[in-house]
Amino acid sequence: MHIPHEEWLLRLYVSGRGWLTSRTQTNLERLCRQYLKGRYRIDVIDLQENPLLAREHEIVAVPMLVREAPVPIRKVVGDLSDTRRALAALT
């Protein structure tokens, strides 16, 4: 699997601070440490705090991870526990 060498900008859209959000963040951080080795930035956006961003950023389900950079934009829904599926969707 080819992973671009540029810095990745990742936006994780969640709803609240419950177990699913926590598990998704943990899985994302593990994935990034293993495959991106310091070439990433993660922004966590809680749609409970700012629900208008869901429509503005076309978020239809949560948790949703959006790779903003490098382009093209990629999206994956779920807790990212299936590393192969997450990487395939993001690369």
Side-chain angles (χ1 to χ4, degrees), residues 10-14 24-25 28 42-45 63-65:
L10 302 166
R11 292 207 168 105
L12 179 61
Y13 293 87
V14 298
T24 306
Q25 282 185 268
L28 176 58
I42 300 171
D43 295 333
V44 178
I45 299 158
M64 179 180 283
L65 179 63

Side-chain angles (χ1 to χ4, degrees), residues 6-61:
E6 300 97 328
E7 182 167 319
W8 285 35
L9 172 56
L10 302 166
R11 292 207 168 105
L12 179 61
Y13 293 87
V14 298
S15 180
R17 299 291 174 191
W19 66 271
L20 183 57
T21 295
S22 178
R23 182 167 73 186
T24 306
Q25 282 185 268
T26 298
N27 289 337
L28 176 58
E29 289 166 3
R30 176 187 44 77
L31 188 146
C32 288
R33 280 192 312 271
Q34 186 173 358
Y35 293 96
L36 298 176
K37 296 181 176 53
R39 296 180 292 116
Y40 62 92
R41 186 178 100 207
I42 300 171
D43 295 333
V44 178
I45 299 158
D46 187 344
L47 295 176
Q48 281 188 355
E49 294 173 6
N50 198 339
L52 296 177
L53 290 178
R55 177 177 289 198
E56 184 179 323
H57 295 185
E58 300 177 352
I59 305 305
V60 296

